[in-house]
Structure formats: C-alpha cells, structure tokens
Amino acid sequence: MTRVVLLGSSPGPDTAPTGLRLAALPGNPTVAERLRSQILSLDPQPATIEPGDVASALRALADVAESATENLFLIPDNSIVHDELIYQITKAKRGALALVAKEPRPDVVDQAQEDIVPIDEAEPEIGLNKLEGLPVRARAGKSRIISVGTANHAVTRPNTVLLGPLHVSARNAPMLAETCRELADMAGSFGADDDLIQLIVFGLVRKGVSVGIRGRRDLFYRRVTTQEEVNEAGTEMSGINEDRARLDNAVKGADGFFTTYFVSTYSRYIARWAARRGLTPNQVTLISIMLGVLAAACFATGARPWMVAGGVLIYFAFVFDCVDGQVARYARKFGVLGAWLDATFDRFKEYVVFAGLAIGWVVSGNGDDIWILALAALGLQSTRHLLDFSFGVSNRRKPPAQLPTLPLDAPDDRALRKALERRKVERSQGIRGVLKMWTRAGRFRAVHWARKMIVFPIGERFAAIAITAALFDARITFLTLVIWGSVAAAYTLTGRLMRSLA
C-alpha cells in the first residue's frame, strides 16, 4: 500500500482546479475527480494538504510523514497525468524519485558531458514551449538531483525542471518529516512563488537524501491552472497512446544485444496478445519450459533435420521466457511463485538441452567423450550463477554511500558542488579511476553492446546453442559455451573484484 498525499495548489502561483473539466477526455471529469479516481487503488483515503501558507502546509505534511508506515506519493492536486506514469513512479525502488523534464533552454545546460541529463531525448515536445516546472540540476551518471533552486536559493547551471510528483520510500519518511519541520521554521526566507513540492525536494536534497529522476518519455504530465490549459492538456493527452507506452515499459531496458534486437522487437506484442486473453505469466512460463524440453528431445535424436528443429524450438523457448516477464509487467501480475519458477526453470531448460545435445552425439555413434564437455559447460554455468547470486546478495547488504549535505539556509549550492568535485577527484584515482573510465567508455555504442555481449547473458547463450546446434554439431556447441563462458567468467570476476576493492 502507498500513502498518497494531495498537495493543495497553493502556496505557490497555482489556483485550485476544482471546477476545471477535461472535456477532451471520456466522461468530461474535473481535474480533481480524475486524479482522485486514478489514486484510488493506491490509497482509498488520501491525505490532503489544504491550500494556505507555506509553514502550515509543511507542518501538515510533516505530521503525515511521521505517522506513515508505507511509501509516500506526493502529487499536486492540479495534475493531469497518465495512469501508467503514476504506476511507474510509485513502483520505483529508489529511496526517493521525482518526475522531471529536460530544460528546453540550451544555454543553461552544463557543458560537462557527464552532468548532462539524457532523459526525455525521445520525448515529443509536449508543453515545453513554456517553463512548466522548477529549475533543478541533475547528474546523469547517478540519475539523481544534486541541487534545487528557490526564489532565494541559487542553483548552479540548472539542466532540468521539476514537474511535481514525488515518491518517497518508507525508510525516508522520518527524514521527510524532519525536513518539512525545518523548512516550516524558515518559511519567511522563501518567496511567494516558491512551490511546495519544489521546497520539499530542495530540503531532501540538501539533507543528503538521494532523489532519483524519471522523465515523462512517452507519457504525459502537466499541472494546470486555467480552463484553457486544461483543454490543451486534454487534447495532447488524448493524442498519446498510453497502452503503447505501457507495453514498451513492459520490456526490460537493460537486456543484452540478442534480446534487444532479435526478441524484444516483437515479443511485446505476443505479451499483449497473451495478457488480453487472460494468460498468466506462469502459464507462459510453462509454454517456455515445454518448448525447451521439446528442443532437448529433438537434439537427442542426433539427426540433422531434428537438430535444426531443436535450434528453432530453443529460440522460441527463450522468446516465451521473455514474454512471461513482459506479461507480468504489462498486466501487473506479480508473484513470488512466478519469480521462482522463472529463475529456476531458466536453468532447467538450459541443462536439459545440454543433456539432449550429449545424448544426440552419442546415439549418432560419435563416442561418449562428449559428456566431458557437457559437464564442463554445466559446471561453468552453475559456478557463474552461484557467483552472480552471491555478489547480488552482498551488494544488497551494502549501505548506500553518504551524500554531501548542505545547510538549508545556504544561499547557493557552491559548497555542495565543491564537495562533489572533491569526491569526483578522489574517485578518479586508482581502481576507482579505472572503473570510472570503463564506465565512461560505455557511452560509445559499440563498447556498450560489446560489454553486454561479453558477459554471455542468457539470450546470447540460447542463441549460441540454437545456431551452432543447427549449423554444426554438439561438440561445437559445447566448445562455444565453454570458451565464451570462460571469457565471461574471467571478465565478470575481475570486475567484481575491482568493485569490491574500490
């Protein structure tokens, strides 16, 4: 459950949108009616911070934060927003996440390449003909806000604007309460046009809370104050295909080369077809398992036509392995059983195919020495999975790095920038410097995909099995798995050792 807090349109320049109607959308609802219907599934009884002076609004929010045991979703009550965007923000695992848009004025963008925020690059210019948010500075490398400006607090070279919605995790709720009370005590230093959500993010960032950023990308968000703005927003929103955006968001953004270009280009449409017909992610997982077993049976014959058929089947077993996750994200059907099945039977499909390939080699009269290669491939892959799991567990236990803090009454962010520059210099030396240089190299497309492929992810492994088994024989398949898998193991182990030492 998420605790929703509707922030009154004042303090700040906005006016309450109670009577403003979205004539361009079905049902002709008011802005307030539509927003309340959207957040009903998150919180049936949202807290409302009534318009008033800044100090009283901040203290009221502090009271809500102090009593909260769930994550908090703060959104201005004059917001027009897609359901999918609310979902994406509230499901974030960051300690705090704010919605931002790229600043349309190029003269304020920092020339330091690592600090330019590359979000929203594919976003159509929806409403960016005017400044629709509050100026902030964000760092792309960390995907977080590092400075926020107010009427009396300068921000150095802002490169984004803060749009409004803010998601705060339960663990940061006490800090939110403390920050709001301190801001309330110094309310006299803020300007009449300072926005409540802007002040909250300003305080959290200066308190050292890592506030992540999310762009609108292919979705819509706008704060409105007049019926004319409502009409414009309704027209623009109705022109955006929210279902397409939801489908695109169902595809993982960090997949490997083979998955990205040879599976996800069309698997999302299979996922939507399956979801609309009531298929569950677990049922799709079972289809993937069945195809994997059939592929192993084909390989076990050792005959060339069946080897080709096995290659085709193992490819589609992987396609449906991707589809089950996409169905879960598109239909929002998640479960512990599904996650366990997906992780466990990925290994099962891979290993049963190893057995099928070895059996096929033996029944073809080629000898039984193939089992040595089969066991080597199985042992290597099992070791890699073990190392992946143990490293992931140790990283989850690692506390987050302490961010630089800055007094709330500091007139600008120069001290913060100096602290960040010192940290940058410290981390550019030794092992950290090597890791940072390798990270920067990922900006080049060829290096980015090479790094994705060298770790031999599951998509590349299934592709290697399908291609080599169909065109060559089991020995070539196992040699490919062992050689490429060994290179991947050496690369990932070296990287993890360096990160652990750093």
Side-chain angles (χ1 to χ4, degrees), residues 123-171:
E123 176 188 17
E125 294 298 311
I126 300 172
L128 289 184
N129 57 331
K130 60 181 179 180
L131 187 65
E132 56 179 346
L134 298 312
V136 299
R137 180 174 175 79
R139 169 170 281 175
K142 298 295 183 181
S143 297
R144 64 181 176 87
I145 295 172
I146 58 174
S147 183
V148 182
T150 74
N152 296 311
H153 299 84
V155 54
T156 307
R157 292 176 292 185
N159 56 5
T160 63
V161 291
L162 179 67
L163 297 181
L166 174 68
H167 184 253
V168 181
S169 67
R171 70 176 182 272

Side-chain angles (χ1 to χ4, degrees), residues 399-419:
Q402 181 63 44
L403 298 172
T405 59
L406 193 65
L408 296 180
D409 57 357
D412 55 48
D413 60 3
R414 282 180 294 181
L416 176 64
R417 289 188 55 79
K418 288 179 181 178

Side-chain angles (χ1 to χ4, degrees), residues 440-462:
R440 285 182 176 180
R443 293 173 182 161
F444 299 99
R445 194 173 185 82
V447 176
H448 170 79
W449 288 120
R451 293 194 322 191
K452 289 279 188 182
M453 294 178 70
I454 196 174
V455 298
F456 208 20
I458 187 170
E460 273 66 11
R461 293 201 304 274
F462 275 50

Side-chain angles (χ1 to χ4, degrees), residues 92-98 143-144 166-169 171-172 204 209-213:
K93 296 181 180 179
R94 297 287 298 257
L97 185 76
S143 297
R144 64 181 176 87
L166 174 68
H167 184 253
V168 181
S169 67
R171 70 176 182 272
N172 280 326
L204 289 176
V209 175
S210 179
V211 180
I213 55 175

Side-chain angles (χ1 to χ4, degrees), residues 87-216:
Y87 176 80
Q88 293 294 330
I89 295 172
T90 55
K91 294 304 177 184
K93 296 181 180 179
R94 297 287 298 257
L97 185 76
L99 182 66
V100 301
K102 188 168 63 175
E103 169 60 62
R105 295 174 298 167
D107 57 301
V108 301
V109 178
D110 186 9
Q111 296 304 307
Q113 183 66 28
E114 68 174 4
D115 287 344
I116 295 177
V117 180
I119 59 173
D120 292 332
E121 288 179 348
E123 176 188 17
E125 294 298 311
I126 300 172
L128 289 184
N129 57 331
K130 60 181 179 180
L131 187 65
E132 56 179 346
L134 298 312
V136 299
R137 180 174 175 79
R139 169 170 281 175
K142 298 295 183 181
S143 297
R144 64 181 176 87
I145 295 172
I146 58 174
S147 183
V148 182
T150 74
N152 296 311
H153 299 84
V155 54
T156 307
R157 292 176 292 185
N159 56 5
T160 63
V161 291
L162 179 67
L163 297 181
L166 174 68
H167 184 253
V168 181
S169 67
R171 70 176 182 272
N172 280 326
M175 177 59 73
L176 174 62
E178 177 186 326
T179 302
C180 286
R181 295 204 184 281
E182 289 189 32
L183 289 170
D185 291 338
M186 55 182 292
S189 64
F190 300 127
D193 289 340
D194 282 331
D195 184 79
L196 186 57
I197 198 82
Q198 169 197 21
L199 297 177
I200 295 164
V201 178
F202 162 81
L204 289 176
V205 170
R206 289 206 169 191
K207 283 286 188 177
V209 175
S210 179
V211 180
I213 55 175
R214 193 207 190 276
R216 292 171 306 186

